Amino acid sequence: MADNEQNTAAQEEQGPQFAVQRVYIKDASFESPNSPEIFMSPWKPEVGLEMNTQTNQVGENAFEVVLTLTVTVKNDEKTAFLVELQQAGIFAVSGLGEQEMHHTLGAFCPSILFPYAREAIDAMVIKASFPALMLAPVNFDALYAQQMTQAQQEASEAQH
């Protein structure tokens, strides 16, 4: 057997493999366009959250997953602050089927990254002299299932 075939056979015998190699902030920005005036108003925040994930293969069994969170907080119709954070991680994943791999990278990895992103956003908000903003937990499995259902519906509509 060739070395490559032996490695593949050895991986299959070992079963699925998963490891977090690194977690890091890839990009972060904070804006408070209406300060200092925004500090003079009674604090009744309206919080908006947008999320997105992106996956890049960076090695044979290594994948970078980037969770992008954009938080917009308004107070009395004015933007109090806007935070955008790209929380990333490098994950070693092997021995999974295509569907399991897609689910791991699309739901499991973002759920690992989210607490780091939430903490980084909260720290930026506090340093900007705003009240703490602890984002609610996110069910990435439910979001992933919703995306898959939507993609299947769009595919079947495109066939008709």
Side-chain angles (χ1 to χ4, degrees):
M1 260 200 233
D3 284 346
N4 208 16
E5 289 175 16
Q6 286 177 334
N7 288 344
T8 303
Q11 283 176 354
E12 287 174 6
E13 287 173 21
Q14 290 176 348
Q17 301 287 311
F18 179 86
V20 178
Q21 307 246 303
R22 186 170 295 251
V23 174
Y24 56 98
I25 293 174
K26 189 167 182 135
D27 189 19
S29 73
F30 182 94
E31 298 174 34
S32 181
N34 292 303
S35 61
E37 299 85 14
I38 202 74
F39 297 120
M40 306 305 163
S41 303
W43 189 242
K44 298 177 204 152
E46 297 172 32
V47 179
L49 172 65
E50 292 179 37
M51 284 187 299
N52 194 0
T53 59
Q54 182 180 339
T55 302
N56 306 305
Q57 189 162 0
V58 294
E60 186 178 345
N61 294 315
F63 298 86
E64 178 192 52
V65 176
V66 181
L67 173 63
T68 302
L69 299 178
T70 304
V71 180
T72 306
V73 175
K74 294 187 176 203
N75 193 44
D76 287 336
E77 304 295 320
K78 290 184 179 175
T79 300
F81 60 85
L82 172 72
V83 179
E84 184 170 277
L85 180 79
Q86 289 184 349
Q87 185 71 53
I90 299 174
F91 301 90
V93 187
S94 63
L96 298 177
E98 186 177 339
Q99 189 172 0
E100 293 160 320
M101 177 72 82
H102 200 262
H103 180 264
T104 297
L105 297 173
F108 187 66
C109 292
S111 70
I112 290 172
L113 296 173
F114 184 78
Y116 293 96
R118 182 170 65 180
E119 181 182 355
I121 289 171
D122 193 50
M124 282 192 278
V125 169
I126 290 169
K127 287 179 182 175
S129 188
F130 288 97
L133 175 72
M134 191 52 66
L135 297 173
V138 175
N139 184 339
F140 286 96
D141 281 326
L143 288 174
Y144 177 80
Q146 183 180 356
Q147 287 176 329
M148 291 300 98
T149 301
Q150 185 177 349
Q152 288 171 348
Q153 287 174 348
E154 289 172 3
S156 70
E157 287 173 9
Q159 291 175 349
H160 294 296

